[in-house]
Amino acid sequence: MELIDAHLDGEPLSDADSDALTEWIKRRQENADDAFRRIFLHSYLRQQLQALPPLPDLENESPQSSLDGSSGPPQRFSRWSAVGAVLALIAIVLGGLLLPTISTLPQPRRSHPFAYEGFDYPPDEVPPPLGDWPATGGLDGRDGGEGFAAAWVESGSLVSIIEANPSDHPWTPQDMRQFGQLGYSDRFGNILQSVGNQLRSSAGPLSDTHRKIDVSAASASLRHGDKLGADGSQLWISFLAQSFDSSGDGRYAYLQLGDDDAGLRLGKLRNVPNGNWSVAAVTNRAEINLRASEKPSGEGVIIVARIEFRPGAEQATIWINPDLTEVPQDTDSTLRLPTPDFRFDTISIRGRYSTDFDEIRLGETFQDVTPIAPKSAIP
């Protein structure tokens, strides 16, 4: 702010100061807002003050008589009244500016996903290290979150479970999830809003946990009959994920949109030998157009995807760990691929390698699926 004031007062800034100020303004949206208000306030006040009538000359003003012909205190009172009037006018101007400004101070960004699952369910008992994974229970029948038409259903030979404290009981000393719950902070310190516990897919074949979406919760422009994916619409999805470790060689755990006839898989995919986070289209039960990132699946990430529904093939664009402050550019995307033409009304989480998922959001804008936690809510 001192550099902004110096610039507004006509003081030349060095190249280093100019670069520092530019970088500070670009770093966060809040900084740009603060700079704008400072510049606007300065310019408006200068304009208003220049329009004021001249102040009386307090040093050279000749004495004038009061109404009763006397001189002295009444004349001094007149001088200070003029100064007080100016100060009062400044206060009025400031008040007029600050009142609307206060009402428009940056607020937590609005986020309106039409479907959200934070897995804030009572935790399950975690199997002992390398112990048998549960085959019943899991998320079957759990129906929290928003924007779903039915409860979760388990249809695999094993089930997913709810994990609350990964650091309290790592499955083995090599468990990469033992350092804490899933979460995400971008390079500017903005933290993704999150709550509760997280889903953990099975360690062994196979957990298949799926849930039907309430299609009517999405806008009409996104709906195609009783499913999502009308041509000309866009869908955004985000979720947090982290695997036990980054092993590949057929190990997998992924989130799927659509079904095995046509859809999209995002996560840890069986056909990626190095085990990195990946994405693939699905058609006739086969993964096609597979794209692999450079991010190991043992590393906790946020995956954000935009699906553009078009006549014929759809286009999927994926960002891993994007900045949360503004819509990312396609040129900064991590992965892009065409997918077969598909519509969907269900999301599935499948795994045969223990992997945690959390904070699933489906929306129609980037902001819908990347809410930033208010600063006051961050310990």
Side-chain angles (χ1 to χ4, degrees), residues 28-184:
R28 298 175 59 196
Q29 181 63 45
E30 290 85 350
N31 294 349
D33 293 341
D34 290 343
F36 170 79
R37 281 193 292 272
R38 191 71 158 226
I39 294 169
F40 178 77
L41 178 62
H42 186 282
S43 301
Y44 188 82
L45 280 176
R46 180 168 57 186
Q47 178 185 17
Q48 294 300 314
L49 291 176
Q50 287 175 341
L52 291 174
L55 287 175
D57 188 340
L58 299 183
E59 296 295 330
N60 300 319
E61 185 181 42
S62 58
Q64 294 182 0
S65 298
S66 64
L67 292 177
D68 62 0
S70 62
S71 60
Q75 182 240 340
R76 189 179 303 114
F77 175 80
S78 175
R79 291 177 182 176
W80 286 109
S81 294
V83 176
V86 173
L87 294 176
L89 178 58
I90 292 174
I92 292 171
V93 171
L94 282 172
L97 283 172
L98 292 178
L99 283 176
T101 299
I102 289 172
S103 66
T104 58
L105 285 174
Q107 300 296 321
R109 190 175 63 192
R110 294 181 179 275
S111 174
H112 299 289
F114 61 81
Y116 166 72
E117 177 60 272
F119 298 107
D120 195 17
Y121 303 113
D124 295 303
E125 183 177 349
V126 178
L130 302 181
D132 291 335
W133 200 267
T136 59
L139 270 75
D140 202 51
R142 301 196 184 192
D143 61 354
E146 301 174 354
F148 292 93
W152 286 101
V153 175
E154 298 278 8
S155 58
S157 55
L158 302 175
V159 297
S160 296
I161 62 173
I162 295 297
E163 168 63 278
N165 299 300
S167 58
D168 285 356
H169 33 70
W171 220 41
T172 75
Q174 291 75 42
D175 193 339
M176 296 296 292
R177 301 164 300 183
Q178 65 184 291
F179 303 108
Q181 288 184 317
L182 287 171
Y184 177 66

Side-chain angles (χ1 to χ4, degrees), residues 142-315:
R142 301 196 184 192
D143 61 354
E146 301 174 354
F148 292 93
W152 286 101
V153 175
E154 298 278 8
S155 58
S157 55
L158 302 175
V159 297
S160 296
I161 62 173
I162 295 297
E163 168 63 278
N165 299 300
S167 58
D168 285 356
H169 33 70
W171 220 41
T172 75
Q174 291 75 42
D175 193 339
M176 296 296 292
R177 301 164 300 183
Q178 65 184 291
F179 303 108
Q181 288 184 317
L182 287 171
Y184 177 66
S185 174
D186 69 14
R187 59 181 175 150
F188 299 124
N190 299 297
I191 297 176
L192 182 77
Q193 189 167 324
S194 60
V195 297
N197 306 322
Q198 54 205 50
L199 175 147
R200 176 163 292 182
S201 66
S202 65
L206 160 75
S207 61
D208 184 346
T209 310
H210 52 273
R211 192 173 189 188
K212 194 174 181 65
I213 298 167
D214 180 5
V215 173
S216 67
S219 68
S221 61
L222 187 57
R223 302 197 297 266
H224 180 90
D226 59 355
K227 294 190 176 183
L228 300 171
D231 288 343
S233 67
Q234 291 186 358
L235 176 128
W236 289 80
I237 180 170
S238 72
F239 60 93
L240 299 170
Q242 184 177 19
S243 284
F244 168 81
D245 66 15
S246 300
S247 299
D249 298 324
R251 298 173 175 88
Y252 62 85
Y254 55 79
L255 184 147
Q256 177 166 314
L257 303 178
D259 55 34
D260 290 338
D261 292 327
L264 181 69
R265 291 176 180 171
L266 306 108
K268 183 182 183 76
L269 302 183
R270 74 172 77 213
N271 293 320
V272 179
N274 61 13
N276 287 357
W277 293 117
S278 307
V279 60
V282 183
T283 182
N284 298 322
R285 298 185 176 275
E287 293 178 355
I288 63 171
N289 294 342
L290 187 147
R291 304 286 191 272
S293 76
E294 297 180 356
K295 288 285 186 183
S297 56
E299 179 180 333
V301 296
I302 181 173
I303 295 177
V304 180
R306 183 192 67 214
I307 299 103
E308 298 171 81
F309 293 99
R310 304 170 175 178
E314 328 295 10
Q315 179 69 39

